[in-house]
Amino acid sequence: MTISSKEVALLGLVNEKPKHAYEIENDIKERDMRYWTEISMSSVYKLLNKLERNGSIESEIRLSENNVSQKIYTITPQGIQVLKEGIRELVSAWQPSKYPVDIALSNLKLLNKKDAILRLNEYSKSLDEMIECYKVLEKKLEDHACDFSYIQLATRRICLLKAEKEWIIDFIIQLEDVNEW
């Protein structure tokens, strides 16, 4: 059974321990998963229902400490196998990502050269800010002795942002040298 990366992400969260949907939402928010997955707030319940229908998770209604009924999701043995296969697929081959900046690049000539360079420099500064944020996150994860793979989420993002920074600097230099714009 092939599943989407969103479904792999949700199964991974439920695999940690049985959880209710609100708890899953909090995990997604706390881990900034919306930045590195395609999980939207509205898709969580729909995906949980789909995973339950295909037998990857099961649910039961439990009363919370406040006597509120909650639907608790637990991964099934089949779900663990599906999760493992999804992980194997995702880690085995590069997949394209969508970057909104590519839309701007494909239309950059609509801006005058000075404005384009100004905006690209702003983009470069935003990359610096994100690199620093992920360095702080990486340090925090290391200080809290988090799982090595979680630390690598931050480390990988730093590497990608640094590569993007290198590219943007080179692009700005090339753009400054372009005579016809």
Side-chain angles (χ1 to χ4, degrees), residues 1-150:
M1 171 189 325
T2 302
I3 61 171
S4 70
S5 61
K6 294 186 274 193
E7 293 165 329
V8 172
L10 280 181
L11 279 176
L13 292 172
V14 176
N15 185 55
E16 293 172 357
K17 68 175 189 148
K19 299 178 183 186
H20 54 82
Y22 182 73
E23 201 172 0
I24 293 168
E25 274 292 336
N26 280 340
D27 285 346
I28 291 167
K29 183 179 176 183
E30 287 175 9
R31 298 175 193 188
D32 286 333
M33 290 177 69
R34 287 194 171 75
Y35 287 106
W36 49 272
T37 68
E38 296 177 342
I39 299 174
S40 67
M41 197 177 245
S42 62
S43 67
V44 171
Y45 290 96
K46 186 168 97 172
L47 291 170
L48 287 170
N49 287 332
K50 180 179 178 185
L51 290 168
E52 190 169 17
R53 280 192 313 273
N54 75 22
S56 295
I57 60 175
E58 56 191 16
S59 67
E60 70 174 293
I61 305 296
R62 295 183 193 162
L63 286 178
S64 70
E65 293 174 3
N66 303 332
N67 283 333
V68 175
S69 61
Q70 296 175 322
K71 192 172 189 178
I72 306 295
Y73 297 92
T74 306
I75 195 164
T76 64
Q78 175 188 331
I80 291 171
Q81 293 308 311
V82 169
L83 174 58
K84 286 179 181 179
E85 187 55 36
I87 292 166
R88 287 182 187 107
E89 286 180 27
L90 291 174
V91 82
S92 296
W94 177 86
Q95 294 182 19
S97 298
K98 295 178 179 124
Y99 299 97
V101 71
D102 291 340
I103 297 167
L105 290 173
S106 69
N107 295 287
L108 196 61
K109 288 202 85 152
L110 290 172
L111 303 179
N112 67 51
K113 183 175 163 180
K114 183 179 176 182
D115 192 25
I117 292 170
L118 174 70
R119 303 307 170 188
L120 291 168
N121 277 308
E122 289 175 359
Y123 183 79
S124 178
K125 288 177 188 168
S126 74
L127 291 171
D128 290 334
E129 291 168 6
M130 292 306 298
I131 289 168
E132 290 309 309
C133 286
Y134 278 102
K135 284 181 179 179
V136 168
L137 175 60
E138 180 183 37
K139 176 86 169 95
K140 184 185 276 188
L141 293 170
E142 288 170 350
D143 290 348
H144 287 84
C146 289
D147 187 276
F148 179 70
S149 59
Y150 290 153

